[in-house]
Amino acid sequence: MDIAIVFSIYLLIAFGLGLLAVGATVVIGHLASSLPGRMFQVLMWMLVIASAMAILMSGRSLRLIADALAIEAQGDVGGFIGAKILLALALGFATALCVAWLFRPWWKSLPVNRYAAGGRKPPSDAVWSLLCFYVCFSIVPFVFTDAHYFHISLVYPLFIFLALLLWMQYSAIDPVVVVKQTLSVLVLGSLVAGAVYPSLAMQPGYLGLIPGFSMRLWGITATANTLGSVALALLMIEVCEPAQRKWLHWLLLGAAAVTMVLSQSKAAIGAAALGVGLVLLWRWLQKIKASKAGSAGRGELTAMLSLILVLVFVTLGVWVSIADPDIFGGLSRRLNARAMDDLSTATGRVYIWKFAIQSGLDSPIFGNGGDFWGLETRLRTGLTGATHAHNEFLQVFSRSGSIGLLAYLWFFGVMCAYAWRAAGPSRGGSLAFMLVFFMRSMVEVPLQPNSVLGGEFFAFMMLLVYVVDRGARPLTSPREVPLPGAYMLGQRLR
């Protein structure tokens, strides 16, 4: 009898929660039909708040014990549950938005599509390629590999990505500005946290390249390298699309640069130098092309020679710094010797890459599953710091095999096509973003689709939104031509 009563209570609770979920979906659907232009912004803000609060509520303490970093989580159960509730709210909101999007034909008035209003095609190919990669990377290995590892994080980010990509098309605010706002929260919040809560945000005793500079900023992100990628994305977008207010522009630019240096992320700093240099070079060459010399044909030749020269110097610099750091002579002797030794092996990444390649070849079709880079593998191989492959292509290949790698190459190709089309409107910014993403993909994993609360998610969303929004294809078919005045409406939306 007691069991029957308890079972009945659980059924009533489940029924009540189901009714609550249906009611919340209806309310959010009505809200979406009334304010479609704000849904993308609301969801992005929910995610960044949940991301920041997850770190703040964790009670993380970065301490140096016997020359080793100890990370202690001192948060209480209430803080852990609070962070999970924030994530659940964001997931529920995203799922409701996906449902609401299906019921658009029954709305009283359709929302204004920023792409159609501006005489451009919606980025359907980018959406499908990303979703295909997500399924091949997360779901296919679970079904076809022997491990059959499953975690809820393999599924729920799919709905968040889908909701963002669908409702980005109706955003009344430039989606690039929205993502920039979330990056600003993480960067500025990290600087504040480093000043007022150093045990949570500052790693002591770090051996960087510069002797005496032993502090490393983690901020309100999971790791210092993650914070470096966030600061890099904010720096790049502020160079490419500066804020209208001068004080805000210099504040964001300075905060991003300081944060990136304090994070001591070598990959982020190197990629920033290359990306910003490419943007400045592109815009300088555009000025030359617009001059009399450019109209005579010499501008194009100067552009090609300058770009080739820059790429040659960058390639030689990277190769020399990795292959033989001592070639810099006095400079290398002034830098931290242990850090220079780490640099010669890409901070141990060479060993991780060898292991990733061999592991991928052991299971070349479907990979080794979603938990391949878990604690068990790290302990078994001795690569204790290898939480991932430190290379995007090897990460995909080792986890999801050639199926996932082919899907990723399709998505990467689509992004390159959008970046090429956006080169003119962005004045080279889209190509710089893709180049930075590719450079980081060689030594980091800038796309982690199963984590939507990490800083890498927001850095990747900046790339995705910027390249896709600025590189959308123009409408060409007579049936696709927008209504009169729609182009001006699209310009006002941007």
Side-chain angles (χ1 to χ4, degrees):
M1 186 66 179
D2 293 337
I3 297 178
I5 294 175
V6 172
F7 184 72
S8 301
I9 293 175
Y10 282 143
L11 282 178
L12 290 176
I13 293 175
F15 181 72
L17 291 175
L19 290 178
L20 182 62
V22 172
T25 302
V26 173
V27 171
I28 294 175
H30 177 72
L31 182 64
S33 63
S34 303
L35 298 171
R38 294 289 181 175
M39 295 299 101
F40 177 80
Q41 184 183 28
V42 171
L43 181 54
M44 283 300 300
W45 272 93
M46 291 180 71
L47 291 172
V48 75
I49 291 174
S51 176
M53 294 306 295
I55 299 297
L56 293 173
M57 292 179 177
S58 68
R60 181 181 66 190
S61 178
L62 303 176
R63 298 180 180 180
L64 191 64
I65 301 177
D67 294 331
L69 177 64
I71 305 175
E72 300 178 0
Q74 299 174 342
D76 55 12
V77 176
F80 175 80
I81 295 177
K84 293 299 182 182
I85 290 176
L86 291 175
L87 174 60
L89 290 175
L91 174 60
F93 188 79
T95 305
L97 288 180
C98 293
V99 174
W101 189 84
L102 296 175
F103 286 90
R104 288 177 306 120
W106 289 273
W107 290 359
K108 293 181 180 179
S109 59
L110 291 177
V112 177
N113 189 303
R114 61 181 285 106
Y115 296 102
R120 303 176 298 162
K121 293 181 179 180
S124 302
D125 52 349
V127 176
W128 282 111
S129 62
L130 178 59
L131 296 182
C132 177
F133 163 65
Y134 187 97
V135 172
C136 293
F137 180 76
S138 302
I139 309 301
V140 170
F142 162 70
V143 177
F144 293 100
T145 58
D146 296 333
H148 294 296
Y149 168 79
F150 178 78
H151 191 271
I152 190 64
S153 62
L154 296 176
V155 178
Y156 75 78
L158 177 65
F159 298 96
I160 292 178
F161 276 112
L162 181 59
L164 288 172
L165 291 171
L166 292 177
W167 289 91
M168 180 182 73
Q169 304 177 37
Y170 306 121
S171 179
I173 303 173
D174 188 344
V176 172
V177 174
V178 174
V179 182
K180 185 194 291 188
Q181 293 171 350
T182 60
L183 294 174
S184 303
V185 169
L186 294 177
V187 168
L188 296 175
S190 294
L191 290 175
V192 173
V196 302
Y197 201 171
S199 63
L200 174 111
M202 297 292 292
Q203 173 187 347
Y206 178 74
L207 293 176
L209 287 175
I210 304 176
F213 187 30
S214 59
M215 302 296 290
R216 196 179 192 195
L217 181 63
W218 291 38
I220 53 176
T221 61
T223 65
N225 284 334
T226 298
L227 180 59
S229 69
V230 171
L232 169 63
L234 180 59
L235 179 74
M236 286 293 300
I237 196 59
E238 196 56 37
V239 170
C240 298
E241 303 268 342
Q244 294 182 354
R245 297 181 180 88
K246 289 292 183 182
W247 67 268
L248 182 59
H249 167 66
W250 289 111
L251 172 65
L252 296 179
L253 205 62
V258 170
T259 302
M260 191 162 49
V261 171
L262 291 178
S263 73
Q264 299 207 51
S265 173
K266 304 177 189 69
I269 294 174
L274 180 61
V276 172
L278 179 60
V279 172
L280 297 179
L281 175 64
W282 179 283
R283 295 179 181 181
W284 174 66
L285 294 176
Q286 289 299 310
K287 290 182 180 180
I288 294 179
K289 188 176 180 180
S291 65
K292 286 186 177 181
S295 61
R298 287 177 288 179
E300 289 83 350
L301 179 61
T302 304
M304 292 177 60
L305 292 177
S306 300
L307 186 58
I308 291 173
L309 189 63
V310 170
L311 292 177
V312 168
F313 273 106
V314 169
T315 303
L316 287 177
V318 172
W319 173 258
V320 167
S321 65
I322 292 177
D324 188 10
D326 291 335
I327 199 170
F328 291 114
L331 176 61
S332 64
R333 287 190 292 271
R334 289 184 177 88
L335 299 177
N336 188 292
R338 180 175 170 182
M340 291 300 292
D341 291 338
D342 289 341
L343 187 61
S344 65
T345 60
T347 319
R349 287 175 171 85
V350 173
Y351 309 112
I352 300 174
W353 295 336
K354 291 180 180 179
F355 173 69
I357 293 173
Q358 184 59 49
S359 301
L361 294 176
D362 291 340
S363 182
I365 305 299
F366 301 111
N368 296 279
D371 193 38
F372 178 67
W373 294 96
L375 179 60
E376 180 181 351
T377 301
R378 299 200 300 271
L379 294 176
R380 176 170 52 85
T381 60
L383 300 171
T384 56
T387 56
H388 49 66
H390 285 282
N391 179 289
E392 185 69 54
F393 300 93
L394 295 181
Q395 173 78 1
V396 174
F397 181 56
S398 61
R399 273 193 46 163
S400 54
S402 56
I403 299 295
L405 185 59
L406 289 174
Y408 178 73
L409 292 176
W410 176 34
F411 170 70
F412 187 80
V414 170
M415 292 295 292
C416 288
Y418 272 88
W420 182 258
R421 286 194 297 268
S426 65
R427 297 190 299 163
S430 60
L431 295 179
F433 257 95
M434 283 303 302
L435 180 60
V436 166
F437 179 77
F438 177 75
M439 293 294 293
R440 291 195 62 237
S441 296
M442 296 295 100
V443 293
E444 295 289 346
V445 183
L447 173 53
Q448 301 179 20
N450 300 132
S451 175
V452 295
L453 293 188
E456 290 286 4
F457 167 78
F458 298 96
F460 169 72
M461 284 301 300
M462 187 76 264
L463 165 75
L464 178 65
V465 171
Y466 183 55
V467 169
V468 167
D469 187 77
R470 300 304 190 256
R473 288 174 293 182
L475 298 174
T476 55
S477 172
R479 295 183 180 181
E480 297 174 331
V481 175
L483 297 175
Y487 178 77
M488 295 303 298
L489 175 60
Q491 293 299 309
R492 288 198 297 272
L493 289 175
R494 294 185 62 184

